[in-house]
Amino acid sequence: MSYVEHFSGAYTSMKQYQLHVLCRLLIAVLILCAQDKTQAQPALPDPTLLLQGVVSSRLQFPALEMEVEMENSDSFGKHTADYSIEFDGERRRFRRLDPPGRAARAAYDGREIVCYDPSLQVAEKRFIDGYSRDFAFDPRTLGVNHYFLAPITIHSALQFEDGGAAVLVGKELISSNETWHVKVTPSPKWNNPEGYFIDVWIDAQFRVHRYVQNGVEVVSYYNKDVVEGLPNKVIATRKVNGAVNGYTSCVIRKAKLIKDRLPDSTWTIEGINPPNSTPVHDIPSAARVGYWDGTRVVASFVEAQAAPVRVEKSKVWFFRIILCLFAIAPVTFLVKRRLSRQGKRPA
C-alpha cells in the first residue's frame, strides 16, 4: 500500500469518526432539549382534585340575601318571575316578588320543605325529594343545577364521589376563560344507565364555566362575582336531538352578606307567613294537620280565624310613616290658618 493510499484511508476513517461523534452529540442535545421542554411544562391537574375544589368552595359560601330574576322558556311559552332568596348552608327561603295574590313562597330547614301556594290557598309540608312546585333550589348549585330543582345538591350534581371516576380531557377556552374539561363517569349509587357521563369545565379558582348533563348545557358568567365562586348569571339550555327546546336562566340583580344569623323560624312555616286560617297539609302523611293562626298551627279553623293578624315589622313601620304623613298635612294647615288669622287682627 502506497503512502498516499494509507493517508487517504486514514483520512476517511477520521471523517467517519468525526461524523459519528457529531451525530452522537446532536442526539444528546436533542434529548436534553426534550427533557428541558418536558420539565418546563406544568404538571397536569388531578381531575378529582378539581372536582373536590368545586365542592369545597361551594360548601364554604357565606350566608347571603339575594334578589334574582328567573326566566323559563318551554313549549308553553316564556315566564319570568322575581324572587327574594336567603340562604345559610343547606337552609334557604324563596319568596316571589309578585302582587300578594300571586306571591308563592317556600322554605327549607335542611329536613323538610314548607310552601304556600296562592292559587290553592294552602300551606304544605313536604320532603324535598321530588319537590317541583316552585323554585327552591340550593343557590350553592348555581351553574351545576341543570333543572334548578330543589333536591339537587352539589354532590348529586357532580356524582364523582363514592366510586365515580373523573378523567381530564384537556384545557379549553370558555368565553376567554382557561378551563380544564373534566369528564365524570358517575358513581353506581346514582343508578345511571351505562355510558352516562357528566362534563364539567373548571378554572384554576374552581369556578365552573360550563356543565353538561342529561342533554342540558349550563353556562355560567362571572362578570361581577357576588361571592367568590358564585356566578351572577346562569343559563341552562335544554336540547332534544341537538335542537334547543327550552331554557332557564337565573340572573342575580342584588346580593349582600347576611351578617347576623337569621332566626330558625325563617326556614319554617312561620318564615313563609301564609295568611291566617290557611289550611296546613302534611303531604308525606297525606293529612291535614290544622290551620295557621299567624304564629302556630292550630287544630280549629275557628280558632285560627279568631287569632290577630300578624303583620311584618317592616309593614308596621310603613303604615306608621303613612299615618304620620297624613297627620302632618292637616296639622300644618291648621297652624298656617291660625297664624294667618293672627296676622289680620287690627293692632
Side-chain angles (χ1 to χ4, degrees):
M1 178 182 295
S2 67
Y3 176 78
V4 173
E5 290 174 338
H6 177 76
F7 179 78
S8 177
Y11 179 77
T12 302
S13 298
M14 179 64 69
K15 291 292 289 183
Q16 289 176 344
Y17 175 74
Q18 288 176 342
L19 184 63
H20 177 69
V21 170
L22 184 62
C23 287
R24 291 183 64 181
L25 285 172
L26 182 60
I27 291 171
V29 169
L30 289 173
I31 291 173
L32 288 172
C33 288
Q35 288 178 343
D36 289 342
K37 187 176 181 181
T38 302
Q39 291 174 358
Q41 291 178 345
L44 296 176
D46 184 323
T48 301
L49 292 180
L50 286 172
L51 293 166
Q52 288 174 345
V54 173
V55 172
S56 178
S57 64
R58 295 297 181 105
L59 294 180
Q60 293 178 40
F61 282 170
L64 283 177
E65 179 182 350
M66 306 185 298
E67 281 189 17
V68 305
E69 178 183 293
M70 302 294 303
E71 183 175 293
N72 184 69
S73 178
D74 53 28
S75 57
F76 297 101
K78 185 184 293 185
H79 311 278
T80 304
D82 298 333
Y83 289 83
S84 168
I85 303 173
E86 297 102 345
F87 75 93
D88 185 358
E90 287 189 349
R91 306 186 300 176
R92 54 197 183 263
R93 177 172 65 173
F94 279 62
R95 293 175 291 174
R96 284 186 65 160
L97 300 176
D98 290 332
R102 294 176 49 206
R105 47 260 200 200
Y108 179 60
D109 65 358
R111 188 179 64 87
E112 66 179 11
I113 195 165
V114 291
C115 57
Y116 172 69
D117 187 332
S119 61
L120 299 177
Q121 296 185 340
V122 296
E124 295 177 341
K125 293 184 177 183
R126 293 175 172 268
F127 288 127
I128 199 165
D129 289 340
Y131 178 82
S132 59
R133 179 65 59 82
D134 207 342
F135 287 116
F137 57 86
D138 186 343
R140 300 175 301 175
T141 64
L142 275 172
V144 296
N145 194 333
H146 51 313
Y147 290 116
F148 294 91
L149 293 175
I152 295 178
T153 67
I154 189 65
H155 301 286
S156 66
L158 298 175
Q159 301 187 11
F160 71 97
E161 299 163 310
D162 302 325
V167 175
L168 189 67
V169 178
K171 183 177 285 188
E172 297 180 22
L173 280 178
I174 304 292
S175 300
S176 302
N177 295 286
E178 286 192 351
T179 67
W180 292 103
H181 179 184
V182 177
K183 184 176 286 292
V184 179
T185 301
S187 164
K189 68 179 282 186
W190 301 107
N191 299 316
N192 290 312
E194 188 175 351
Y196 189 93
F197 299 102
I198 297 171
D199 292 271
V200 194
W201 286 258
I202 308 166
D203 70 11
Q205 288 76 45
F206 304 116
R207 302 185 305 179
V208 175
H209 290 265
R210 188 174 177 225
Y211 171 92
V212 178
Q213 183 185 168
N214 197 29
V216 182
E217 177 190 53
V218 185
V219 178
S220 298
Y221 300 89
Y222 296 86
N223 293 338
K224 50 171 186 177
D225 281 355
V226 206
V227 61
E228 188 175 353
L230 182 66
N232 66 288
K233 182 179 180 180
V234 170
I235 301 176
T237 305
R238 300 178 289 277
K239 297 181 180 180
V240 176
N241 298 324
V244 175
N245 74 338
Y247 69 86
T248 302
S249 69
C250 175
V251 178
I252 299 176
R253 294 194 310 223
K254 296 179 183 178
K256 65 177 182 179
L257 295 174
I258 298 175
K259 296 180 181 179
D260 299 322
R261 185 180 178 86
L262 295 172
D264 291 339
S265 60
T266 305
W267 326 109
T268 67
I269 189 170
E270 184 177 353
I272 63 172
N273 189 27
N276 278 29
S277 307
T278 297
V280 180
H281 297 170
D282 188 314
I283 301 303
S285 63
R288 176 178 292 176
V289 295
Y291 301 86
W292 181 248
D293 78 344
T295 56
R296 60 196 177 102
V297 178
V298 296
S300 166
F301 177 77
V302 175
E303 185 180 356
Q305 273 193 320
V309 176
R310 184 172 72 114
V311 181
E312 295 180 10
K313 289 183 179 179
S314 58
K315 292 182 179 178
V316 171
W317 280 107
F318 175 77
F319 288 131
R320 286 177 179 174
I321 292 170
I322 294 297
L323 287 173
C324 287
L325 290 174
F326 275 111
I328 288 171
V331 170
T332 304
F333 173 76
L334 290 173
V335 169
K336 285 184 176 180
R337 186 177 179 183
R338 184 171 181 180
L339 291 174
S340 175
R341 285 181 177 178
Q342 289 177 349
K344 290 180 180 179
R345 287 180 183 178

